[in-house]
Amino acid sequence: MLRHISKVLEFEKIKELLVHHAASSLGKEKVEKLEPSYDYVEVVKLLEETDEASLVLRLKGQVPLGGIFDVRHSLKRAQIGGALAAHDLLDIASTIYGGRQIKQFIELMLEEEHQLPILKDYIDQIVPLTELERKIRNCIDDHGHVMDGASDKLRGIRQALRSAESRIREKLDSMTRSSSAQKMLSDAIITIRNDRFVIPVKQEYRSAYGGIVHDQSASGATLFIEPQAVVQLNNQLQEARVNEKQEVERILQELSGFVAESAEPMLHNVKVLAEIDFMFAKASYGHKIKASKPKVNENGQIRLLKARHPLISNDEVVPNDIILGEDYSSIVITGPNTGGKTVTLKTLGLLTLMAQAGLPVPAQDGSEIAVFSAIYADIGDEQSIEQSLSTFSSHMTNIVEILKRVDHKSLVLFDELGAGTDPQEGAALAIAILDDVYNRGATVVATTHYPELKAYGYNRDGVINASVEFDVETLSPTYRLLLGVPGRSNAFEISSRLGLSQQVIERAKGFVSSETNKVENMIASLEETQKRAESEWHDAESIRKDAEKLHEELQKQIIALNEERNALLAQAEEKAREAIESSKAEAEEIIRQLRKMKNDAHSTIKEHELIDARKRLEEAQPTLQKNKQAVQKKKVKQALLPGDEVKVISLEQRGHIIEKVSDTEYQVQIGILKMKVKEKDLEYISRPAPVETKPLATIRGSEHHVKPELDLRGERFENAVLRVEKYVDDALLAGYPSVSIIHGKGTGALRKGVHDFLKSHRHVKGYRLGGMAEGGSGITVVELK
């Protein structure tokens, strides 16, 4: 049944595409054996593995998984005492190196404080085996050739080989260059036959050289002769070659013994590397199809947002929202053929299989999918000529097998249920089958073109009608799934568009019952209402996003203005300090001179000198230029109250007082923005009609209760920052010296955003992560000033 489902839902085609993303034969083997899991805990683990690998690919782009081979057979042969070939040993050394590379790569990411618990566990299991790799590399080069330096004996043998070969060539060269060679030789070359050096001699001069004939040309006119003069040298060469072969075999046997000693850890390394390669193959495929990790549950809830069939190109596929298992557990999709009903059915089934196999699904972030104990499907024309079964019989045989196995944890997919027989009987049979599956508690999606099933969803709780939209103007399906709207035939509209006489169409409508017409009109109204609702929702969503963007920009501007103001104040204070220091120095100098004149017995202090000294002291006092704010402050004699219209002098903007924050600071609303402003930066303008106000003590009392901690878990980033800003203001009003902000651990993005905000807040003295008893890195403790 599983093989049948994989074929019908095209899961096998997904595996064929997935295998190309594996870096080694080990990963390819894992892909070929891939099957969906029906255990919730295992599915969660598989998806977490893929998501972790996806994180690495997003951060680094690629992973060093080259040079890894399936060396399990070589390792087992070495374990039983067999000698490995040079290329087998080279593959083992390459695999050791590949394992070390991926281990170092992940360790470097862990040092960068990336959370990769699954990959960390895998690389911790990899044994480096550096010594074995070094021994193999010292003996075998990259081309699989045993090097001279593998042993002293091999080096000596190969030197003897080269020496013998050189002597033979010198001897034969002298023969081919002799004056008689041109006449007796077919060509003045040296060649090899039977691993021995020979020269081509014409048939009639064979006795001139003596020696051994090893071969002759096709015509027989040329003989390849090993001259008697080099027979002994060739014998020495052959002997050296035998010695070389024996020494190479000894070296390979010795290396094989080293491999046998490390075979067990090496086999485990191969197993771990296969798992890592498989993880990244799934992640790479998910990246290619723009997939995301779905949430999973055990209660049959499916919420696929903008789900796409992964085997249809992005240019052609139409994303659809598929929601099931919350208010209803069954969907009946009605409508004409070639409208996209089967594609929708296959998309749901295939994405469920992918998720349960640990693969990301081509749907928007936030999608959710259920883990079923079994998935059954009856899709397509599966007529069996060999079994002499009709289309209806073939489908019914399959459905009978499904009904034997289905339970409350199953997902059942029926395509054109009841087709292939009498329409009235087929519709009745389809309703009975749906009732049976529904009563067992299974999750079911069925497609049909029977109009009788349009009423099925209205008469039963937990069942909803759906259809695939059809554009009458273009006479083609749009492939958009419309939940809650049953399909209609559109036969009259299509016929009219194609040119059928209106008289014929009106006559045909007369044969249709009034009840059927009412149903068709109701369906048309539902379609129009849903389209309008979706359009309005998209408009509202666009406005919301624009407002969020504007609010974010204004927040940045306010922060920039505050920073600029603080910088200007700091600069003014520094200038004032320098002026005071300069004045003090001048005054000290004047006093020193006066004391000197007083102590000078020979000098009498004259009146004009004292007047001049007093004038210099007065001039030494710093005269700081009063800015516009100081001048304006003198004008603010009116006590400010909530509701007063004021002018923020530094911003040249008007606003209203919301409340008094402290003795010298007010909260002011300017347009849609709220900000805290010093009293000296405010100019009173007007006051509305008197309203009853409450003292600050009341605000700090029961009407403004503030908890000592703020929980942000589950919040979006923008909303979280706004809540933190308001909470800090409230905590200051409540007089708290410190508060706690709970943001959870997660990916750390929310924690970073909160810290960035606290860093620039002028009323935050400092902050730190919570201790072990306080919640650890999931909580931030803030000290206020």
Side-chain angles (χ1 to χ4, degrees):
M1 181 61 76
L2 177 60
R3 185 178 293 111
H4 170 77
I5 297 301
S6 295
K7 181 180 178 183
V8 167
L9 295 178
E10 300 178 295
F11 184 67
E12 294 299 321
K13 291 184 179 179
I14 297 296
K15 290 168 59 175
E16 291 173 7
L17 296 174
L18 178 60
V19 76
H20 297 296
H21 293 267
S24 68
S25 59
L26 296 167
K28 289 180 171 63
E29 182 182 350
K30 293 281 292 182
V31 171
E32 290 165 358
K33 293 180 179 179
L34 176 63
E35 291 184 358
S37 170
Y38 298 97
D39 179 73
Y40 173 77
V41 175
E42 186 178 3
V43 170
V44 171
K45 181 179 180 296
L46 291 171
L47 286 171
E48 286 177 350
E49 285 183 349
T50 308
D51 192 53
E52 200 168 288
S54 298
L55 173 63
V56 174
L57 290 178
R58 283 197 301 272
L59 293 173
K60 299 298 182 180
Q62 58 183 2
V63 180
L65 279 170
I68 297 173
F69 298 93
D70 184 1
V71 295
R72 289 172 293 184
H73 295 299
S74 299
L75 293 170
K76 290 175 181 177
R77 190 161 71 250
Q79 280 183 307
I80 61 175
L84 302 180
H87 65 85
D88 293 330
L89 291 164
L90 197 60
D91 287 349
I92 290 172
S94 179
T95 303
I96 295 172
Y97 176 77
R100 193 169 71 253
Q101 286 292 101
I102 188 64
K103 183 180 178 75
Q104 292 173 351
F105 178 81
I106 300 300
E107 285 174 345
L108 184 60
M109 291 199 68
L110 292 172
E111 290 176 5
E112 296 172 358
E113 298 186 358
H114 297 296
Q115 299 299 317
L116 305 170
I118 298 172
L119 283 168
K120 181 181 185 305
D121 178 61
Y122 276 139
I123 65 166
D124 286 344
Q125 299 178 46
I126 296 178
V127 182
L129 299 176
T130 310
E131 183 61 23
L132 176 59
E133 180 193 359
R134 185 188 63 78
K135 288 178 179 178
I136 295 173
R137 294 289 187 186
N138 285 344
C139 295
I140 303 172
D141 63 19
D142 292 338
H143 303 289
H145 181 258
V146 179
M147 296 184 290
D148 294 358
S151 72
D152 293 338
K153 184 176 180 181
L154 182 62
R155 182 183 289 106
I157 292 171
R158 285 186 173 165
Q159 286 177 350
L161 266 171
R162 287 189 285 270
S163 177
E165 184 175 328
S166 178
R167 289 198 302 272
I168 292 170
R169 285 188 175 277
E170 287 177 2
K171 192 73 173 174
L172 293 178
D173 278 341
S174 64
M175 292 181 180
T176 56
R177 289 196 298 267
S178 64
S179 56
S180 59
Q182 188 174 1
K183 180 177 68 173
M184 292 186 290
L185 298 181
S186 298
D187 199 354
I189 60 170
I190 302 169
T191 186
I192 295 175
R193 292 292 187 274
N194 299 326
D195 292 330
R196 298 176 78 90
F197 287 93
V198 296
I199 55 176
V201 181
K202 294 178 181 178
Q203 173 72 30
E204 58 269 25
Y205 298 108
R206 60 180 299 176
S207 58
Y209 291 95
I212 304 168
V213 177
H214 287 279
D215 197 4
Q216 68 178 8
S217 64
S219 63
T222 301
L223 301 177
F224 293 94
I225 296 176
E226 177 186 359
Q228 186 63 42
V230 297
V231 168
Q232 182 60 31
L233 292 174
N234 263 329
N235 289 341
Q236 293 174 3
L237 181 62
Q238 286 298 98
E239 183 180 353
R241 284 174 177 166
V242 170
N243 292 336
E244 179 194 27
K245 182 180 179 182
Q246 291 175 346
E247 180 61 14
V248 167
E249 289 175 351
R250 186 196 68 77
I251 292 169
L252 294 178
Q253 184 67 57
E254 183 179 36
L255 291 174
S256 301
F258 294 139
V259 170
E261 293 173 3
S262 303
E264 288 302 324
M266 187 63 194
L267 284 168
H268 187 70
N269 283 0
V270 170
K271 181 180 178 181
V272 171
L273 290 172
E275 294 292 343
I276 294 175
D277 188 13
F278 181 50
M279 281 176 60
F280 283 102
K282 293 187 292 182
S284 177
Y285 176 67
H287 177 72
K288 181 179 181 181
I289 63 173
K290 296 180 174 60
S292 64
K293 174 194 171 187
K295 300 176 184 176
V296 292
N297 62 73
E298 295 181 277
N299 50 24
Q301 291 188 359
I302 297 173
R303 188 176 184 83
L304 292 170
L305 307 176
K306 303 298 180 186
R308 297 170 280 110
H309 196 291
L311 299 178
I312 302 177
S313 69
N314 290 332
D315 298 334
E316 299 178 5
V317 70
V318 177
N320 274 309
D321 293 344
I322 305 175
I323 301 170
L324 187 61
E326 297 176 5
D327 299 326
Y328 46 87
S329 60
S330 299
I331 299 178
V332 178
I333 308 175
T334 54
N337 293 329
T338 69
K341 301 192 301 295
T342 303
V343 172
T344 303
L345 208 63
K346 284 187 172 183
T347 300
L348 173 59
L350 180 56
L351 265 57
T352 301
L353 286 177
M354 289 174 65
Q356 294 190 198
L359 291 168
V361 298
Q364 277 188 353
D365 287 337
S367 294
E368 187 169 2
I369 208 158
V371 177
F372 296 98
S373 62
I375 301 172
Y376 303 107
D378 178 61
I379 297 176
D381 185 2
E382 298 179 34
Q383 181 173 348
S384 173
I385 297 175
E386 293 82 359
Q387 298 179 17
S388 301
L389 296 176
S390 67
T391 301
F392 176 76
S393 299
S394 176
H395 279 289
M396 197 50 58
T397 301
N398 196 22
I399 290 171
V400 168
E401 290 299 317
I402 292 173
L403 295 180
K404 288 179 182 178
R405 296 180 171 90
V406 70
D407 60 18
H408 67 286
K409 291 186 177 180
S410 301
L411 172 64
V412 185
L413 307 173
F414 291 126
D415 186 32
E416 297 296 346
L417 186 58
T421 186
D422 177 76
Q424 189 172 359
E425 293 182 357
L429 196 57
I431 292 172
I433 292 170
L434 285 174
D435 278 341
D436 185 53
V437 176
Y438 174 76
N439 290 333
R440 298 192 198 188
T443 301
V444 58
V445 181
T447 69
T448 179
H449 61 273
Y450 290 136
E452 290 84 354
L453 267 73
K454 294 177 184 178
Y456 184 83
Y458 295 112
N459 297 333
R460 290 162 178 79
D461 293 332
V463 182
I464 190 172
N465 280 317
S467 61
V468 180
E469 187 180 54
F470 188 90
D471 191 340
V472 180
E473 296 297 324
T474 62
L475 301 181
S476 61
T478 65
Y479 302 106
R480 290 180 64 248
L481 181 66
L482 303 175
L483 290 171
V485 181
R488 54 195 179 110
S489 64
N490 298 305
F492 295 144
E493 289 84 350
I494 294 172
S495 300
S496 177
R497 294 282 299 174
L498 293 175
L500 187 63
S501 168
Q502 193 65 30
Q503 181 181 356
V504 175
I505 292 173
E506 292 299 326
R507 181 176 175 79
K509 287 182 178 179
F511 293 117
V512 179
S513 66
S514 59
E515 291 183 359
T516 302
N517 281 328
K518 287 180 181 179
V519 171
E520 289 295 322
N521 291 335
M522 178 192 70
I523 293 172
S525 176
L526 283 172
E527 288 182 352
E528 182 63 29
T529 301
Q530 181 156 346
K531 285 181 183 178
R532 187 165 60 251
E534 286 182 359
S535 176
E536 291 175 355
W537 180 87
H538 285 301
D539 291 343
E541 183 68 10
S542 177
I543 293 171
R544 183 188 65 79
K545 289 180 179 178
D546 289 343
E548 286 183 354
K549 184 178 180 181
L550 177 61
H551 184 270
E552 184 179 350
E553 289 176 355
L554 289 173
Q555 285 285 81
K556 289 179 180 177
Q557 290 178 11
I558 290 172
I559 292 171
L561 283 170
N562 285 336
E563 289 177 351
E564 184 179 357
R565 183 185 63 185
N566 293 338
L568 289 172
L569 287 173
Q571 186 178 0
E573 289 175 359
E574 178 63 22
K575 286 183 178 179
R577 187 189 62 77
E578 291 176 356
I580 291 171
E581 290 295 329
S582 176
S583 299
K584 284 182 179 180
E586 179 70 18
E588 289 291 336
E589 177 62 24
I590 293 169
I591 292 170
R592 187 185 63 78
Q593 290 179 6
L594 287 173
R595 285 175 179 169
K596 181 179 179 183
M597 286 189 289
K598 180 180 178 182
N599 295 331
D600 192 350
H602 302 286
S603 176
T604 302
I605 301 175
K606 298 179 182 179
E607 185 64 23
H608 74 276
E609 291 178 332
L610 288 174
I611 294 171
D612 184 56
R614 186 180 297 112
K615 184 178 179 181
R616 289 172 61 196
L617 276 172
E618 289 174 355
E619 291 175 350
Q621 294 179 1
T623 56
L624 300 178
Q625 182 182 0
K626 295 181 179 180
N627 58 21
K628 187 177 180 181
Q629 292 184 23
V631 174
Q632 294 293 341
K633 184 178 177 182
K634 292 179 181 179
K635 296 179 181 180
V636 183
K637 297 178 181 179
Q638 179 70 46
L640 298 176
L641 296 175
D644 287 355
E645 184 179 3
V646 294
K647 178 180 179 181
V648 181
I649 300 169
S650 60
L651 299 180
E652 292 292 330
Q653 294 289 331
R654 291 192 176 196
H656 291 84
I657 299 289
I658 297 176
E659 61 181 351
K660 189 171 184 179
V661 178
S662 65
D663 292 339
T664 61
E665 196 170 29
Y666 290 83
Q667 187 173 30
V668 180
Q669 180 158 356
I670 304 173
I672 64 170
L673 298 179
K674 294 179 181 179
M675 59 189 300
K676 294 177 183 178
V677 183
K678 296 288 185 182
E679 183 180 5
K680 63 182 180 181
D681 196 20
L682 295 174
E683 179 184 348
Y684 172 83
I685 296 177
S686 65
R687 176 170 298 163
V691 293
E692 183 181 355
T693 60
K694 295 181 181 180
L696 186 59
T698 303
I699 296 176
R700 294 189 178 181
S702 60
E703 292 187 7
H704 199 85
H705 177 68
V706 182
K707 294 182 179 180
E709 62 182 27
L710 173 64
D711 193 344
L712 297 176
R713 289 173 293 185
E715 285 282 357
R716 293 178 59 189
F717 175 77
E718 296 83 358
N719 293 338
V721 173
L722 291 175
R723 287 190 62 192
V724 171
E725 181 179 13
K726 183 178 183 305
Y727 177 70
V728 171
D729 292 343
D730 292 343
L732 286 167
L733 287 174
Y736 288 143
S738 66
V739 291
S740 300
I741 298 176
I742 304 171
H743 43 65
K745 298 179 181 177
T747 62
L750 186 56
R751 179 181 68 235
K752 185 178 183 299
V754 170
H755 286 184
D756 288 344
F757 173 80
L758 294 173
K759 197 180 298 179
S760 61
H761 200 291
R762 62 180 178 277
H763 288 296
V764 173
K765 184 187 296 182
Y767 59 87
R768 61 177 175 82
L769 291 175
M772 293 298 293
E774 295 173 314
S777 60
I779 188 170
T780 295
V781 180
V782 185
E783 294 184 24
L784 303 175
K785 60 181 178 180

